[in-house]
Amino acid sequence: MLLLSAPPDRHTRLEDALALVTGTALMALSVLFLRASGLITGQIAGLSLVASYASGWSFGLLFFALNLPFYGFAIARMGWRFTVKTFLAVALLSVMVEGLDRLVTLEIAHPAPAAFLAGVIAGTGLLVLFRHGATLGGVGILALYLQDRLGLRAGVIQLGFDAVVFAVAFFLFPTAIVGWSLAGAVLLNLLITLNHRRDRYIAR
């Protein structure tokens, strides 16, 4: 994705708005699957889930707060347009997760389908956001910057960070839970690696 060097082909504001709502709605649904099965994920969302399990605090509040330090880097390196979209996406996800949690109840008999569905849904949601010049903050900001500048795949960068998160998680959660969670995270990042390429999508 050419966030910094793409030609002036841009999405309309309506297209961006619909993409932000769609992408964050898919991400919120993936969080519900993870919560219902006690699974975790990587990146800032994963840290927020772990912290919410341990403390009982709101996922939405934790997710919003943990992303705040990354906006300075986003403004300096990615520009205001990207930063504003990302801020809105993070805020929307924080609100949607808490809202859906009160309106939707999921019953998961086994963590395997939850890991698969969460990975597919989250990967699709992130692709929508990436292709409209936004992310969900945190590592995603750095991943998109390095992909645009150095040609490194965003999915690979995110998976590397996720490996650290899951290495810590093995000391905090049952092995089966971490294993299924890791499988979902690998699927998510594989979808991004295969489908989010700077030579295939140039609109912003």
Side-chain angles (χ1 to χ4, degrees):
M1 180 170 180
L2 307 180
L3 283 173
L4 302 180
S5 55
D9 301 316
R10 292 184 182 274
H11 295 287
T12 66
R13 291 182 179 180
L14 176 59
E15 289 172 336
D16 281 341
L18 290 174
L20 289 180
V21 172
T22 301
T24 52
L26 290 172
M27 288 300 302
L29 182 59
S30 74
V31 172
L32 293 191
F33 274 104
L34 293 173
R35 276 180 158 184
S37 54
L39 298 177
I40 59 174
T41 187
Q43 303 178 59
I44 298 301
L47 293 177
S48 301
L49 272 175
V50 170
S52 69
Y53 290 155
S55 66
W57 292 0
S58 160
F59 167 86
L61 180 61
L62 288 167
F63 182 72
F64 185 83
L66 289 175
N67 270 295
L68 291 176
F70 293 92
Y71 293 124
F73 176 84
I75 293 171
R77 299 296 183 179
M78 309 294 281
W80 280 99
R81 182 182 178 88
F82 170 85
T83 305
V84 169
K85 288 181 181 180
T86 295
F87 179 84
L88 291 174
V90 170
L92 277 173
L93 178 59
S94 299
V95 172
M96 283 186 178
V97 168
E98 299 309 314
L100 288 177
D101 197 40
R102 291 171 171 78
L103 299 174
V104 178
T105 301
L106 297 177
E107 293 185 7
I108 308 296
H110 192 277
F116 173 79
L117 290 172
V120 170
I121 295 170
T124 303
L126 284 175
L127 282 172
V128 172
L129 293 174
F130 286 179
R131 291 186 172 183
H132 285 261
T135 184
L136 285 172
V139 180
I141 295 175
L142 180 61
L144 287 183
Y145 174 75
L146 292 176
Q147 173 161 311
D148 191 66
R149 283 298 178 128
L150 303 179
L152 302 174
R153 294 287 183 86
V156 174
I157 296 169
Q158 293 183 164
L159 189 57
F161 180 84
D162 290 351
V164 176
V165 174
F166 283 106
V168 174
F170 271 110
F171 296 97
L172 302 174
F173 297 94
T175 302
I177 290 296
V178 179
W180 286 116
S181 299
L182 181 59
V186 169
L187 176 59
L188 184 162
N189 286 293
L190 182 61
L191 287 172
I192 294 174
T193 300
L194 295 177
N195 292 284
H196 186 62
R197 293 175 49 175
R198 60 185 294 161
D199 57 338
R200 287 183 177 175
Y201 198 86
I202 61 173
R204 293 192 290 174

